[in-house]
């Protein structure tokens, strides 16, 4: 069993095939093998998926021995996804502007996220993205001990490894003493 996802923008994958007694093979992105040609059998071959649109992609193969006997068609499927999660949002303490405690609650949501990386003042941690029935995920977070404006950033990642390049950001001012 190979990879479940490919996020290579050119659709490059490595096809691994084992066929006992095979001397040649034919590989194609279509089960009719149109425009495909027989070639010498190798156990591992670089291959380009059909990248017209995201989603499930199937690679088909047949093998032939020295006597010309052909195998049945075999196939493998992979999900081609080059799109990072979208519509990300981050809220700190229900949009409060100030806090007098370092302990905050971060609410997050995003379409197609599997993980989220929270970063604040050089500290970061990655969490599995598990939204509740309303579509939001809550994380308990502790700010650093320095008073002032705090920036909390969220980077969302999907199962294919695509990551948002620009983080979603929220701020809150931490002040535990009066003037």
């Amino acid at each position: 069993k190979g990879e479940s996802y490919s996020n290579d923008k050119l659709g490059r994958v490595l096809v691994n095939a084992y066929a006992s007694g095979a001397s040649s093979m034919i590989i194609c992105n279509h089960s009719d093998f149109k425009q495909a040609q027989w070639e010498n059998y190798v156990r591992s071959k670089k291959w380009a998926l059909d990248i017209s649109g995201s989603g499930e992609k199937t690679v088909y193969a047949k093998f032939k021995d020295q006597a010309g006997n052909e195998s049945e068609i075999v196939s493998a499927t992979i999900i081609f996804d080059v799109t990072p999660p979208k519509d990300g949002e981050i809220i700190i303490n229900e949009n409060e502007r100030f806090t007098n405690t370092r302990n905050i609650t971060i609410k997050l949501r995003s379409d197609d996220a599997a993980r989220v990386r929270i970063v604040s003042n050089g500290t970061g941690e990655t969490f599995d993205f598990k939204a509740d029935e309303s579509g939001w995920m809550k994380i308990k977070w502790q700010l650093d001990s320095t008073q002032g404006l705090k920036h909390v950033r969220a980077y969302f990642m999907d199962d294919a490894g695509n990551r948002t390049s620009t983080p979603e950001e929220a701020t809150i001012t931490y002040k535990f003493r009066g003037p």
Side-chain angles (χ1 to χ4, degrees), residues 48-62:
L49 300 169
D50 173 3
I51 58 172
S52 58
S54 291
E56 229 177 55
K57 304 293 179 176
T58 303
V59 177
Y60 301 90
K62 287 196 301 185

Side-chain angles (χ1 to χ4, degrees), residues 7-56:
N7 66 356
D8 184 279
K9 291 190 183 337
L10 299 176
R12 295 173 296 201
V13 294
L14 187 63
V15 174
N16 293 308
Y18 178 73
S20 180
S23 60
S24 57
M25 64 185 189
I26 187 168
I27 298 177
C28 193
N29 289 320
H30 307 284
S31 60
D32 60 10
F33 293 94
K34 284 188 179 171
Q35 299 177 345
Q37 296 179 356
W38 287 95
E39 58 187 274
N40 290 333
Y41 169 74
V42 292
R43 288 197 61 181
S44 188
K45 178 175 178 57
K46 292 178 183 176
W47 187 255
L49 300 169
D50 173 3
I51 58 172
S52 58
S54 291
E56 229 177 55

Side-chain angles (χ1 to χ4, degrees), residues 75-90:
S75 64
T77 302
I78 192 167
I79 298 170
F80 177 66
D81 179 1
V82 295
T83 307
K86 58 185 180 201
D87 299 328
E89 195 172 343
I90 180 172

